Amino acid sequence: MTRFTRWLADRAAAREEAGLTRRLFASDAVPGDGPMIDLAGNDYLGLSRHPRVIAGAIAAAERYGAGAGASRLVTGTLTVHEDLERDLAAFTGFPAALVLSTGYHANLAAVSALTDNDTLIVSDAHVHASMIDACRLSRGAVQVVPHNDVGAVERFLAGRTQPRAIVLVETVYSVLGDAAPVAELADVCARHDALLVADEAHALGVCGIDGRGLLHEAGLSGEDHVVATLTLSKSLGSQGGAVLATPAVRDHLVNTARPFIYDTGLAPAAAGAARAALGVIGDEPERVARVREVARALAKAGGVPEADGAVLAIAMPGPLEAVAAVAAAAERGVRIGCFRPPSTPDGISRLRLTAHAQLTDSEVDHAVAVVGGLLR
Ligand SMILES: Cc1ncc(COP(=O)(O)O)c(C=O)c1O
């Protein structure tokens, strides 16, 4: 055994003993298809299999091919990217959008390009791994603040020595499912000449007026001091990411953001699908209302407060109990998720339930009975 293979084996044994081993299960069963009720995935509106969304993907692949073929700055900017950027900006109320190949890239690009040695980064303790990695890529000093603590954000902004500062939050948190106080945060940022970068991954299509997000609802889209990032892979049922901001920020990213410049453009099929999904949400806003209705029913069953979006978190005593609850639910035909350390910033293992608009009333009733039973 080399030192390296021994290290791998030791790490694997420690994970196993702590109940933290993760395994990939490949399956032909598509979420939402077949007997399992899906309360684990992020396709909140059920659009990944919507005929219009699939048709959008096919039409774009037929027109442009399977791949964009190059970085957006070389030959990889296609009209479908520009059309999607226009549609995303119109939907969320921002003046400009830049599409990237994942939501992960969107956060890496926004944070790394909008900061330098002279920037303080104030980050909520619960931001997504992509924002944490973005901080590592950036050259700014990073200050982590307790979750949703606007007072702490203000203290660090007020006491900084750097000329510039940015504040990183999610508008709806992916693990806890709660919303950020976006209006207060934007106000603090405005008063201290800082930029708010808010990840709308779990709010787009679910929160705000007809799913346009929480920044739009708070009247903040288009403000100079507010930037949104988002993913096309959750409620839009596709793949990809975007940064929404002013044209000046977009130009800056096009010219300086390495995760944008050195990455092949988003696959045409993903862009075509995301555009079609935005069209479906616009035409069928009742999907947005339905996902919130299902979230309310699940929250009641789980004995937790109403969710701000589609994600519900139920704390468990430990990772082993969380994994056992997931298995018990699966035996009764309900797939739920679970977050264990290191995916949880506070070390608490949680069941993660996600509401889905496409569930029928009888599926919701069954899911509610299973979730209620698990926690009794
Ligand atoms: C809050 C948040 N931001 C960013 C991402 C990354 O998005 P993508 O899957 O498109 O890379 C995710 C999840 O995947 C997320 O939950």
Side-chain angles (χ1 to χ4, degrees), residues 102-104 107 128 130 170 174 199 201-202 231-234 240:
T102 67
Y104 213 110
N107 279 332
H128 188 256
S130 51
E170 290 177 38
S174 54
D199 183 341
H202 296 275
T231 169
L232 315 178
S233 66
K234 301 193 191 300

Side-chain angles (χ1 to χ4, degrees), residues 98-149:
L98 184 68
V99 164
L100 296 95
S101 61
T102 67
Y104 213 110
H105 282 76
N107 279 332
L108 294 183
V111 178
S112 64
L114 295 171
T115 55
D116 62 11
N117 289 330
D118 286 329
T119 315
L120 173 68
I121 304 174
V122 180
S123 171
D124 187 280
H126 279 251
V127 292
H128 188 256
S130 51
M131 278 202 167
I132 296 172
D133 291 352
C135 291
R136 293 176 181 155
L137 258 191
S138 125
R139 293 171 203 277
V142 181
Q143 183 61 58
V144 176
V145 290
H147 182 52
N148 273 350
D149 187 340

Side-chain angles (χ1 to χ4, degrees), residues 168-375:
L168 308 182
V169 300
E170 290 177 38
T171 57
V172 170
Y173 282 85
S174 54
V175 174
L176 297 181
D178 59 341
V182 284
E184 288 171 62
L185 287 163
D187 180 50
V188 165
C189 287
R191 280 191 283 111
H192 294 278
D193 200 8
L195 186 69
L196 178 66
V197 177
D199 183 341
E200 292 252 54
H202 296 275
L204 181 76
V206 175
C207 299
I209 302 158
D210 295 338
R212 290 165 197 271
L214 289 178
L215 297 174
H216 173 273
E217 186 181 56
L220 293 168
S221 26
E223 294 289 320
D224 269 1
H225 66 299
V226 178
V227 169
T229 59
L230 48 86
T231 169
L232 315 178
S233 66
K234 301 193 191 300
S235 60
L236 298 187
S238 180
Q239 189 116 27
V243 179
L244 294 130
T246 58
V249 167
R250 184 183 187 276
D251 281 353
H252 182 76
L253 296 188
V254 167
N255 285 280
T256 65
R258 292 163 64 86
F260 174 78
I261 295 170
Y262 297 100
D263 187 44
T264 296
L266 178 67
R275 275 198 87 199
L278 283 172
V280 174
I281 299 175
D283 293 345
E284 301 173 20
E286 59 277 9
R287 284 178 183 266
V288 181
R290 172 68 176 166
V291 78
R292 300 299 297 275
E293 184 186 13
V294 174
R296 278 194 291 277
L298 292 173
K300 210 162 157 202
V304 290
E306 255 182 42
D308 289 317
V311 179
L312 288 152
I314 303 175
M316 297 298 280
L320 296 173
E321 289 84 353
V323 172
V326 169
E331 266 170 36
R332 299 198 53 201
V334 178
R335 181 180 287 173
I336 59 179
C338 113
F339 278 171
R340 296 167 281 164
S343 312
T344 52
D346 53 9
I348 297 174
S349 295
R350 293 184 177 81
L351 300 182
R352 181 177 184 268
L353 276 57
T354 50
H356 293 263
Q358 72 277 22
L359 293 178
T360 62
D361 286 344
S362 67
E363 286 172 328
V364 174
D365 290 346
H366 180 64
V368 159
V370 170
V371 170
L374 274 184
L375 300 168

